[in-house]
Amino acid sequence: MNQSDKKNFEFIKNSGVNYFLQDSPRNWLENTKDKTKKEIFNENEDKIKGINEIIADIRKHQTPLKDTANKLVLYDGNTDAKVMFVGEAPGRDEDEKGVPFVGRAGQLLNKMLAAIKLNREEVYITNVINWRPPNNRTPTDEEILEFLPYLQRQIDIVEPDYIFLLGGVAAKAILSTPIALGKLRGQWHEYKSMNLNKIIYTIASYHPAFLLRSPQYKKASWEDLQMLQKKLNDEN
Ligand code: URA
């Protein structure tokens, strides 16, 4: 990269615009294939360090949500996961434990994972918002935008191959669209980050809490999960 491209790249990065659309991924970053065990180990250490920096930054960030919440909730699972699951915001149980998806919706999520032969230890689970909104209210658009950079940074660090969006808030945040979930689900979307040399295949589906209230949507949710399972199986 020449000096002026580098300056431009830094400018775009620092402007807070974390990704933008383009036809093909950039080639700025090194080829990540053929890594040694030591390189993989160092990379995982770096990932955990990067995630810990995000936790520190969220703690420092002033927001009224912090005043009413108990514990910061960032992630559960594996920072080197192939699949990232993104929910909405912590509820009461998550706020008490500091871990995402540990309440009733979390138990259903565990079953959904098991149904496609995954478990919590091999995926990365997070939320759009990291402090519990008062009375579990839906996060506002302003709050979504406020926390989006932290979510984008997690995606850049974990570098998953697939993102599974749980519910309308996650779909709105990551797919940058107000289109209803019913129209977005059932198909693959492409997430592109300026910092990553790859496309991340992304699917949006129903939130487990919604499925608990409206079990008639479980069939559609199962179809979406199977789309993910097929992608994972096709890789092997
Ligand atoms: N609902 C979410 O969206 N996230 C959680 O962590 C728990 C419930």
Side-chain angles (χ1 to χ4, degrees), residues 90-226:
R92 197 183 43 202
D93 297 314
E94 291 75 22
D95 182 56
E96 258 175 32
K97 298 216 164 75
V99 181
F101 283 101
V102 289
R104 278 187 72 221
Q107 282 160 23
L108 179 54
L109 178 60
N110 292 348
K111 285 187 190 158
M112 289 160 67
L113 293 174
I116 56 166
K117 309 214 165 9
L118 291 175
N119 61 53
R120 286 177 83 102
E121 288 75 44
E122 61 192 319
V123 301
Y124 184 96
I125 302 172
T126 188
N127 284 305
V128 176
I129 308 289
N130 310 109
W131 297 107
R132 180 194 183 197
N135 303 316
N136 293 352
R137 66 159 171 76
T138 305
T140 64
D141 286 352
E142 288 71 23
E143 287 165 346
I144 293 173
L145 282 177
E146 191 182 334
F147 282 84
L148 186 55
Y150 302 118
L151 179 55
Q152 290 172 330
R153 275 170 64 189
Q154 289 173 80
I155 297 171
D156 286 347
I157 289 171
V158 176
E159 260 192 83
D161 292 338
Y162 307 103
I163 299 177
F164 198 99
L165 302 169
L166 298 163
V169 167
K172 190 193 256 184
I174 289 298
L175 300 177
S176 306
T177 174
I179 295 175
L181 192 59
K183 292 219 166 87
L184 292 171
R185 62 150 296 273
Q187 56 188 301
W188 286 104
H189 303 271
E190 292 182 355
Y191 174 87
K192 293 170 190 167
S193 163
M194 208 180 80
N195 300 317
L196 294 180
N197 186 23
K198 70 189 212 181
I199 289 169
I200 302 177
Y201 292 96
T202 302
I203 193 160
S205 192
Y206 297 109
H207 192 288
F210 172 77
L211 294 173
L212 288 170
R213 293 191 301 271
S214 312
Q216 67 272 29
Y217 289 91
K218 280 188 178 172
K219 184 173 172 288
S221 161
W222 174 232
E223 287 165 9
D224 298 332
L225 285 166
Q226 281 180 307

Side-chain angles (χ1 to χ4, degrees), residues 9-64:
F9 176 60
E10 283 306 315
F11 168 75
I12 294 168
K13 245 173 90 177
N14 294 336
S15 73
V17 181
N18 211 22
Y19 65 90
F20 54 83
L21 297 176
Q22 53 169 28
D23 289 336
S24 57
R26 282 176 174 70
N27 240 350
W28 290 343
L29 303 179
E30 87 216 52
N31 186 353
T32 49
K33 289 212 176 93
D34 306 325
K35 283 183 232 154
T36 63
K37 273 191 183 160
K38 187 164 184 289
E39 280 168 336
I40 293 172
F41 178 79
N42 288 343
E43 207 177 88
N44 290 347
E45 294 264 291
D46 287 348
K47 286 186 178 196
I48 292 168
K49 210 170 130 214
I51 296 291
N52 284 337
E53 279 166 15
I54 297 176
I55 293 175
D57 288 349
I58 299 175
R59 284 199 194 287
K60 272 189 259 155
H61 175 75
Q62 289 308 318
T63 166

